[in-house]
Amino acid sequence: MTSFPSSTQATPGSVKVAGTQDAFTHRLATVAGEVERFMVDLLDGEVRPGEIARPPRLMEAMRHAVLGGGKRLRPFLTIETARMLGGPEAGAMAAGAGVELVHCYSLVHDDMPAMDNDDMRRGKPTVHKAYDEATAILVGDALQTLAFEITADPQWQADAGIRADLVLGLAKASGLGGMVGGQLLDLSAEGRFGAVALDVDDTLRMQAMKTGAILAFSVEAGAIVGGASADERAALLRYGVALGQAFQIADDILDREASPEAMGKATGKDKDAGKATLVDRLGLDGARAECDRLVGVCDEAVARWGDRAQTLRDAARFTVARKA
């Protein structure tokens, strides 16, 4: 497997220099290519030990859902956090792929008619449109279970304790107290189950579960693979939580301002559906100010690592400045 790209060196304060963002986007694209190739291998048609068969239609639809799109920000965060700490490449790649597969499964199910009812994702038809609803349900199920299979496989991480920490963390971040619970709260905020009025704290809680939990775990997974101490893990979790909050606010701003062509999916649907967002609660200027505050929290959280954390600092700025 190809080794990590070399880290961009930076002097203190260079995060304000535009060139660092150019270096960051190149690095993000490079790592995304590595992740893509790893997942191409995961999703081929070859039957693995312990499997009876890989149904061709299922594999084709899984590849449709996963490959050929997306920034791969979540596995990037896992890989870069582990690299900063000197962790093993193979373990970081597998842990990051596990997070990305959970993310992709959530998109497949979230796009379905019973949920957000979207026709396009990453510039191509959603899985239930390209195939059918039954296939889309099974694709999501298969991606979720494959994520845990990869995360628990000693081929990628020999230490059983680290594997157990990764599986437990991924389950908590993606389950009833994390992403899935947050998705239910998001549907509730639309009034599907009766009238509800969410204040700022309620909105933050919902977003921290639906979007933030997986993003925060992406960073924590890198800390686990990298052998971080308890204090280091706590600092990186602060970074991940703040990054997750900033990502969701930036996403809400984009839903209001970006074009469907730029986003690769329909925009403006959150407002039409009555979804709870901080843009509604704080206004666009207030939401942008909150993004800036959260970037500052990210900077503070990784200050102890100095220049080694430059990529994580740039990731926070990329998150709030992205256009798609």
Side-chain angles (χ1 to χ4, degrees), residues 242-266:
L243 183 73
Q245 291 175 347
F247 182 96
Q248 183 59 62
I249 297 170
D251 213 47
D252 293 339
I253 293 171
L254 286 170
D255 187 68
R256 298 294 178 87
E257 297 188 332
S259 68
E261 292 76 20
M263 294 292 285
K265 62 179 182 179

Side-chain angles (χ1 to χ4, degrees), residues 181-268:
Q183 288 174 322
L184 191 283
L185 294 179
D186 193 30
L187 295 176
S188 298
E190 298 176 12
R192 292 199 187 194
F193 316 120
V196 62
L198 271 63
D199 60 19
V200 170
D201 288 342
D202 294 329
T203 303
L204 284 170
R205 184 182 303 108
M206 179 271 291
Q207 293 183 341
M209 292 170 68
K210 181 183 178 184
T211 304
I214 286 289
L215 270 164
F217 178 70
S218 301
V219 178
E220 192 173 14
I224 293 169
V225 172
S229 67
D231 187 53
E232 289 172 331
R233 279 181 65 170
L236 287 165
L237 183 59
R238 287 197 301 275
Y239 168 91
V241 168
L243 183 73
Q245 291 175 347
F247 182 96
Q248 183 59 62
I249 297 170
D251 213 47
D252 293 339
I253 293 171
L254 286 170
D255 187 68
R256 298 294 178 87
E257 297 188 332
S259 68
E261 292 76 20
M263 294 292 285
K265 62 179 182 179
T267 57

Side-chain angles (χ1 to χ4, degrees), residues 79-322:
I79 289 166
E80 288 302 309
T81 302
R83 181 199 55 78
M84 181 183 76
L85 297 170
E89 173 192 349
M93 179 65 73
V99 175
E100 183 70 3
L101 289 170
V102 165
H103 173 59
C104 291
Y105 123 69
S106 76
L107 298 181
V108 173
H109 282 187
D110 203 40
D111 287 338
M112 294 185 65
M115 299 281 281
D116 282 356
N117 194 25
D118 278 314
D119 293 343
M120 298 294 292
R121 170 70 66 180
R122 294 173 173 172
K124 59 186 180 183
T126 51
V127 176
H128 72 275
K129 285 292 184 181
Y131 296 88
D132 58 79
E133 291 183 32
T135 299
I137 291 170
L138 294 173
V139 163
D141 294 345
L143 291 175
Q144 181 191 45
T145 51
L146 180 59
F148 284 96
E149 179 183 336
I150 296 304
T151 305
D153 192 337
Q155 175 183 358
W156 311 112
Q157 177 54 255
D159 189 300
I162 290 178
R163 295 199 307 273
D165 279 354
L166 289 170
V167 168
L168 179 61
L170 184 58
K172 287 183 174 180
S174 60
L176 62 92
M179 181 186 70
V180 173
Q183 288 174 322
L184 191 283
L185 294 179
D186 193 30
L187 295 176
S188 298
E190 298 176 12
R192 292 199 187 194
F193 316 120
V196 62
L198 271 63
D199 60 19
V200 170
D201 288 342
D202 294 329
T203 303
L204 284 170
R205 184 182 303 108
M206 179 271 291
Q207 293 183 341
M209 292 170 68
K210 181 183 178 184
T211 304
I214 286 289
L215 270 164
F217 178 70
S218 301
V219 178
E220 192 173 14
I224 293 169
V225 172
S229 67
D231 187 53
E232 289 172 331
R233 279 181 65 170
L236 287 165
L237 183 59
R238 287 197 301 275
Y239 168 91
V241 168
L243 183 73
Q245 291 175 347
F247 182 96
Q248 183 59 62
I249 297 170
D251 213 47
D252 293 339
I253 293 171
L254 286 170
D255 187 68
R256 298 294 178 87
E257 297 188 332
S259 68
E261 292 76 20
M263 294 292 285
K265 62 179 182 179
T267 57
K269 292 188 66 178
D270 288 353
K271 184 176 182 180
D272 293 341
K275 287 184 179 291
T277 73
L278 283 186
V279 174
D280 295 320
R281 306 298 182 261
L282 303 177
L284 281 168
D285 289 343
R288 291 191 181 98
E290 180 63 5
C291 280
D292 290 340
R293 185 191 73 80
L294 289 165
V295 169
V297 174
C298 289
D299 282 349
E300 183 277 330
V302 298
R304 70 180 68 192
W305 287 283
D307 289 352
R308 286 190 292 154
Q310 187 61 47
T311 300
L312 295 184
R313 293 189 191 93
D314 288 345
R317 281 156 177 76
F318 169 83
T319 293
V320 302
R322 62 197 169 91

